[in-house]
Amino acid sequence: MHLKDLYYHIMTTKEVAVVGREFSAYGMEYALVGLVNTAENTELVLFEYDKRIADDDCTEPENMTNREFALADKYRRKNLTELLHEVIIDGKKFNINGSHGCSLDSAFDSDSYVLAEFIKQGWRSEKFFDYSPEYVNLSFQKLDEKIESLSQLDLSKKISLLAYETCNEEFPQIKLDLEVDKEIDKIVELFDGKEKICIKRVHLVDLKEVGEEFSDMDFFSRICPNGMRIPVIEYTCRNDEICFNISLSSYLDSFYGDSCNGFAGEDGTFCGVIGIQLTNDKKDRKYFTIQSSVNADTKQIECEIVSCSKEIENPHIEEFLI
């Protein structure tokens, strides 16, 4: 660490207040360490320990296919730090307005400094002090309103944590054989038939023809070299909140790492996915860009809807009173 970085962390951390309560949620153990005031925000500091991961002692399988990687979230366990949306402290409700975190063994110097401040203020935990750091996650939950002074709060009162899912995600794995540049009008049902999309057409797009911002960037040529095209699916859907992911079957069957739906420049910077919006006088038309290229003379593509999601209108709220 540079000394100027240490100075910045010290000056940015204005105040900490220890809560020091431990509880269980979603089959995991948690420690609510306390609250920290920085120069800009007030954040709730949580530790999370998942005994099931520690007991599994599993390593990531080698030679995963892109399909296996895409389906990994299907088996991911719910956790409080992901589902926490509101907190009530001393009778005042705050929304969670973002979060950041990492495993304890890879904590940033700035996070370690904040933890040191809590320990100086008296925070201890027999359990979390003994857990292996690779199985402990540290989370900072940003409140939507900064508390000017943490001393004005009565932290001896119970604190309420309100957690709920805002998004319903499914993994239908629907296989599609779609002809290129022909009227299709194929109805696809999602969420047990409660939602539908209608695929109208598949366009093959040359990135060099859709905008200077693509043709001038060398790393886009990796996904769409000369003679190749990007499939863009034109569709209609009544529910604007539905999102879905379509990938080529050949991509899903390939090994993860041999190809990917994102792009990396020479400096290793990860770049976002391409989203192509074609000109159309029909206002109800939407477009989904498949992040893999095909030959320019392709007549039919084999692809799959791997996952889909939509917002939950009336989420089930779970309260943890600690």
Side-chain angles (χ1 to χ4, degrees), residues 54-67:
D55 291 343
D56 287 346
D57 192 25
C58 59
T59 57
E60 187 174 298
E62 297 182 358
N63 298 326
M64 289 180 64
T65 64
N66 285 303
R67 178 179 283 102

Side-chain angles (χ1 to χ4, degrees), residues 29-31 33 46-49 104 115 123 128 136-138:
E29 295 180 26
Y30 291 88
V33 181
L46 283 163
F47 274 126
E48 173 188 87
Y49 173 73
L104 185 57
L115 293 177
W123 177 72
F128 279 85
V136 177
N137 287 324
L138 171 63

Side-chain angles (χ1 to χ4, degrees), residues 86 156 166 170 192 199 230 235 260 281 313-314 318:
E86 300 172 31
S156 66
T166 59
E170 292 189 355
D192 297 323
I199 298 176
I230 293 293
Y235 70 98
C260 64
D281 58 357
E313 294 183 3
N314 299 301
E318 295 191 64

Side-chain angles (χ1 to χ4, degrees), residues 23-32 44 46-48 52 77-86 96 99 139 141 160-164 318-322:
F23 60 102
S24 298
Y26 301 105
M28 305 179 199
E29 295 180 26
Y30 291 88
L32 176 52
L44 199 69
L46 283 163
F47 274 126
E48 173 188 87
R52 295 168 296 185
R77 296 159 177 160
K78 299 177 183 178
N79 62 65
L80 177 64
T81 54
E82 177 187 3
L83 301 179
L84 183 61
H85 292 283
E86 300 172 31
I96 300 299
S99 66
S139 173
Q141 304 283 329
S160 178
L161 305 178
L162 304 176
Y164 49 89
E318 295 191 64
E319 181 180 21
F320 299 94
L321 195 61
I322 60 173

Side-chain angles (χ1 to χ4, degrees), residues 53-256:
I53 295 179
D55 291 343
D56 287 346
D57 192 25
C58 59
T59 57
E60 187 174 298
E62 297 182 358
N63 298 326
M64 289 180 64
T65 64
N66 285 303
R67 178 179 283 102
E68 291 171 328
F69 186 80
L71 293 174
D73 282 350
K74 181 178 182 180
Y75 308 102
R76 185 163 51 88
R77 296 159 177 160
K78 299 177 183 178
N79 62 65
L80 177 64
T81 54
E82 177 187 3
L83 301 179
L84 183 61
H85 292 283
E86 300 172 31
V87 57
I88 301 174
I89 307 171
D90 194 12
K92 182 173 177 58
K93 180 181 286 189
F94 301 90
N95 293 320
I96 300 299
N97 192 26
S99 66
H100 64 95
C102 59
S103 62
L104 185 57
D105 65 338
S106 59
F108 295 108
D109 293 331
S110 57
D111 298 340
S112 298
Y113 174 75
V114 172
L115 293 177
E117 287 295 310
F118 279 109
I119 293 172
K120 284 172 59 180
Q121 294 296 324
W123 177 72
R124 297 288 188 276
S125 171
E126 292 184 7
K127 291 193 298 185
F128 279 85
F129 274 35
D130 288 338
Y131 290 149
S132 297
E134 65 266 30
Y135 302 129
V136 177
N137 287 324
L138 171 63
S139 173
F140 292 81
Q141 304 283 329
K142 176 183 171 184
L143 306 187
D144 65 340
E145 180 181 334
K146 182 179 178 181
I147 302 170
E148 290 305 319
S149 174
L150 299 179
S151 62
Q152 71 188 53
L153 298 173
D154 183 356
L155 296 180
S156 66
K157 293 181 179 180
K158 291 286 188 179
I159 293 176
S160 178
L161 305 178
L162 304 176
Y164 49 89
E165 291 187 273
T166 59
C167 182
N168 181 16
E169 187 173 21
E170 292 189 355
F171 299 83
Q173 302 179 69
I174 299 173
K175 295 187 177 182
L176 302 169
D177 291 324
L178 304 176
E179 291 187 275
V180 172
D181 287 331
K182 290 189 177 181
E183 294 301 318
I184 298 175
D185 285 334
K186 181 177 181 61
I187 301 293
V188 180
E189 295 185 348
L190 303 173
F191 299 101
D192 297 323
K194 296 177 182 177
E195 305 288 354
K196 297 178 182 179
I197 63 173
C198 181
I199 298 176
K200 295 293 187 179
R201 196 177 186 92
V202 176
H203 305 264
L204 297 187
V205 178
D206 187 346
L207 289 184
K208 297 182 180 62
E209 297 179 357
V210 296
E212 289 293 329
E213 67 273 21
F214 293 124
S215 60
D216 291 343
M217 301 176 73
D218 291 339
F219 53 78
F220 276 105
S221 64
R222 299 183 185 184
I223 191 175
C224 191
N226 290 332
M228 303 293 282
R229 301 291 185 267
I230 293 293
V232 177
I233 294 179
E234 179 182 344
Y235 70 98
T236 59
C237 180
R238 291 184 179 179
N239 188 346
D240 291 334
E241 303 299 329
I242 290 181
C243 298
F244 52 85
N245 180 30
I246 303 179
S247 295
L248 296 180
S249 297
S250 58
Y251 166 83
L252 293 170
D253 291 334
S254 63
F255 287 118
Y256 177 71

